[in-house]
DNA sequence: CGTACCATTGATCAGGTTCAATGCTCGTGG
DNA sequence: CCACGAGCATTGAACCTGATCAATGGTACG
């Protein structure tokens, strides 16, 4: 029993003790090394993951064989902690995503089957699943707004404000592709901004 | 009873006759004129809408007071037929979206309260709600991928391939902001492409 | 018939990309 | 423990694409 993680997760999920303990009992602990993969393109994602320690990234490989980062994960806010290819998980289709450890990591997995059983068990858990899907939807929509309305420079500034911790964990190379730009452009944006804010 | 719409909706939702009839009985028919609004920024979205005839758009107003189109709606595929601000609908928060008729429209609304009652009624309907949320999530995620991985020109080409009908309904001015570019750029992209494909 | 809106086009500009080179840091093996 | 190599951030130069400002012509609707 990992008390800090238990407490953290419970406070993030804001659940009563009883259902939370039931959920927690399903979790399977795992550790992996830096650069190891939790999920590779083509596999079916059979888990929902929860970061305990370390950081991971979810990325695609685009048609030019470039890696494009979609999300980063670490033990922080609820939307950061969870990692999965929700599409593959829901539909049992081969994933187009990769999930890889950026440093040595420990995390917990909820296996697909256990999750299914839980959801079929009671409307409480079904509602819980719906809420999770809603959260996933809302964060994807937020990402669309970001990409549609803001220039790369403004996206960088917004990220700096909304999630400054991310800059301590994630290399600029990876952040650049998350922002949809090249590392060179990110470097120049940083320079531009630091000059303007001197 | 609007038989064509009834049949269309049933085939899109792929539901059994009985639950479908229950759902259908909740629908409230409405007509509006071109340029009228179904939802305005600041209001709480209390419906899920289903297009019968005509077309609508969902748009934001960004910080430069420009309209940015987020989605278009018409009687076609399931993801096109549905219109709502799902975020506002789910959370009962004021909407940041506007939904406006691009031409004279007829549509059906599922009122929020009826939807809630339905979802609380049985796990069948709760599951249905979850599936809807999943669809919303998947289409938002697809939009993120589009914006992250493809240039405006490639986005235009992809849209041309995946949804050519949209070009018959929607003006270039509106399509441009959907693609995240100016009308002038769209015009030039079209020119570029038509030359290359002669 | 006139007006308002839209698509197109030209000219200029700004920001991001690409290719290439440099210096730095960190981890590894001799 | 030091030396080397790999990967990363930075910078420069040339380029490309989309943005902006402005003007024109077409079309639909009152």
């Amino acid at each position: 029993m990992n008390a800090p993680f238990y407490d953290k997760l419970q406070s993030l999920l804001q659940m009563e003790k009883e259902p939370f303990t039931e959920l927690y009992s399903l979790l399977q602990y795992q550790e992996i090394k830096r650069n190891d993969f939790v999920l590779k393109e083509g596999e079916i994602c059979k888990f929902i993951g929860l970061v305990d320690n370390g950081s991971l990234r979810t990325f695609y490989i685009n048609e030019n064989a470039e890696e494009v980062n979609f999300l980063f994960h670490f033990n922080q806010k609820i939307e950061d902690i969870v990692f999965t290819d929700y599409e593959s998980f829901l539909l049992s289709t081969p994933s187009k995503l990769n999930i890889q450890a950026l440093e040595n990591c420990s995390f917990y997995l909820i296996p697909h089957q256990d999750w299914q059983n839980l959801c079929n068990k009671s409307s409480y858990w079904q509602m819980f699943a719906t809420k999770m899907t809603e959260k996933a939807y809302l964060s994807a929509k937020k990402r669309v707004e970001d990409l549609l309305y803001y220039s790369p420079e403004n996206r960088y500034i917004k990220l700096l404000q909304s999630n400054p911790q991310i800059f301590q964990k994630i290399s600029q190379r990876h952040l650049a592709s998350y922002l949809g730009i090249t590392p060179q452009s990110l470097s120049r944006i940083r320079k531009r901004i630091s000059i303007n804010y001197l």
Side-chain angles (χ1 to χ4, degrees), chain A:
Chain A
M1 167 69 153
N2 178 341
F5 181 75
Y6 184 95
D7 294 344
K8 168 114 195 183
L9 190 61
Q10 179 162 24
S11 81
L12 284 174
L13 294 177
Q14 298 183 321
M15 284 169 73
E16 297 299 321
K17 189 176 170 58
E18 196 194 328
F20 180 72
T21 306
E22 184 178 4
L23 179 67
Y24 196 85
S25 74
L26 300 177
L27 298 185
Q28 303 196 348
Y29 183 75
Q30 225 173 297
E31 293 182 1
I32 59 171
K33 299 279 179 207
R34 180 180 150 90
N35 293 332
D36 282 353
F37 285 78
V38 194
L39 179 73
K40 281 197 181 179
E41 188 174 344
E43 295 173 357
I44 292 173
C45 181
K46 294 196 183 300
F47 60 84
I48 293 173
L50 301 161
V51 181
D52 176 24
N53 273 304
S55 56
L56 303 98
R57 66 177 181 133
T58 297
F59 68 97
Y60 288 76
I61 299 187
N62 73 8
E63 45 200 2
N64 302 326
E66 296 155 346
E67 298 178 357
V68 183
N69 290 313
F70 187 62
L71 286 171
F72 300 108
H73 316 281
F74 23 74
N75 185 328
Q76 212 175 88
K77 297 181 233 158
I78 182 68
E79 59 269 31
D80 300 323
I81 279 199
V82 177
F83 61 92
T84 182
D85 177 357
Y86 205 39
E87 176 167 355
S88 171
F89 182 82
L90 288 174
L91 310 175
S92 289
T93 51
S95 178
K96 285 166 276 176
L97 293 172
N98 300 275
I99 303 179
Q100 185 187 28
L102 292 168
E103 45 190 330
N104 294 351
C105 284
S106 62
F107 52 80
Y108 293 85
L109 297 182
I110 309 173
H112 183 268
Q113 192 56 55
D114 293 335
W115 177 258
Q116 289 284 74
N117 294 343
L118 205 60
C119 292
N120 292 333
K121 204 165 172 177
S122 71
S123 70
Y124 175 89
W125 289 110
Q126 203 178 36
M127 184 66 85
F128 181 72
T130 304
K131 290 280 170 207
M132 272 215 36
T133 312
E134 288 173 6
K135 275 196 201 299
Y137 165 71
L138 294 177
S139 74
K141 187 182 149 211
K142 210 168 163 200
R143 197 84 197 279
V144 174
E145 293 171 25
D146 250 43
L147 291 165
L148 256 184
Y149 306 158
Y150 298 102
S151 64
E153 175 164 340
N154 285 333
R155 288 205 288 277
Y156 173 79
I157 293 172
K158 280 193 66 190
L159 189 63
L160 206 52
Q161 289 162 349
S162 70
N163 206 351
Q165 320 85 323
I166 209 175
F167 293 89
Q168 285 155 2
K169 281 277 190 192
I170 311 292
S171 72
Q172 283 179 229
R173 189 174 123 260
H174 282 138
L175 278 175
S177 95
Y178 176 81
L179 292 168
I181 56 178
T182 59
Q184 292 95 320
S185 296
L186 178 55
S187 172
R188 294 195 168 99
I189 287 172
R190 284 159 54 83
K191 198 177 174 185
R192 222 154 50 215
I193 289 172
S194 69
I195 290 170
N196 292 340
Y197 285 73
L198 269 185

